[in-house]
Amino acid sequence: MLKSIHHIAVICSNYKKSKQFYTEVLGLDIIREVYREHRDSYKLDLALNGHYLIELFSFPNPPKRTSRPESCGLRHLAFEVTNIEQEVSHLKKQGVKTEPIRVDEHTGKKFTFFADPDDLPIELYEG
């Protein structure tokens, strides 16, 4: 029986840029950073509020994965926030472009989307 999501793995094209984005812009905490010489690859374990959440990988020349238009596979990562306007303001100060804030027609909750450095869609959802 499934208990919870353990982690999400993300492969990036520019490790330094993505590390800065996930840690400094989004504010995730570094648990562990490992360089795997035999694979010429970094693995960065990241946490949110003390919970292991994302493994950020770098590999030499990873192939592009289509995100838009809507394609089959992982659609986006979603983070719950308390105040979406405050979070959007923070992102804009960091140079991150966000979509206009919308309201979920089923729940009445506010949400918006933006992209990581590799154009992976990320959603903020006000809980």
Side-chain angles (χ1 to χ4, degrees), residues 26-29 31 46-54 79-80:
L26 295 186
L28 299 179
D29 297 316
I31 300 171
L46 299 167
L48 178 63
N49 298 321
H51 298 283
Y52 182 54
L53 186 63
I54 292 178
F79 293 97
E80 183 177 350

Side-chain angles (χ1 to χ4, degrees), residues 108-119:
K109 302 287 186 172
K110 297 177 194 175
F111 68 99
T112 191
F113 284 90
F114 58 99
D116 85 347
D118 287 302
D119 205 29

Side-chain angles (χ1 to χ4, degrees), residues 20 24-26 88-96:
Q20 184 270 337
E24 295 177 27
V25 175
L26 295 186
V88 166
S89 176
H90 166 75
L91 289 170
K92 287 183 178 180
K93 287 177 186 171
Q94 299 292 321
V96 177

Side-chain angles (χ1 to χ4, degrees), residues 28-68:
L28 299 179
D29 297 316
I30 296 173
I31 300 171
R32 174 179 32 263
E33 181 176 34
V34 177
Y35 178 71
R36 303 172 309 169
E37 189 171 345
H38 66 285
R39 298 188 80 180
D40 190 21
S41 167
Y42 280 95
K43 179 179 180 280
L44 183 66
D45 297 336
L46 299 167
L48 178 63
N49 298 321
H51 298 283
Y52 182 54
L53 186 63
I54 292 178
E55 288 179 347
L56 183 65
F57 289 96
S58 70
F59 291 104
N61 305 309
K64 294 271 185 199
R65 181 175 304 178
T66 304
S67 291
R68 294 182 181 90

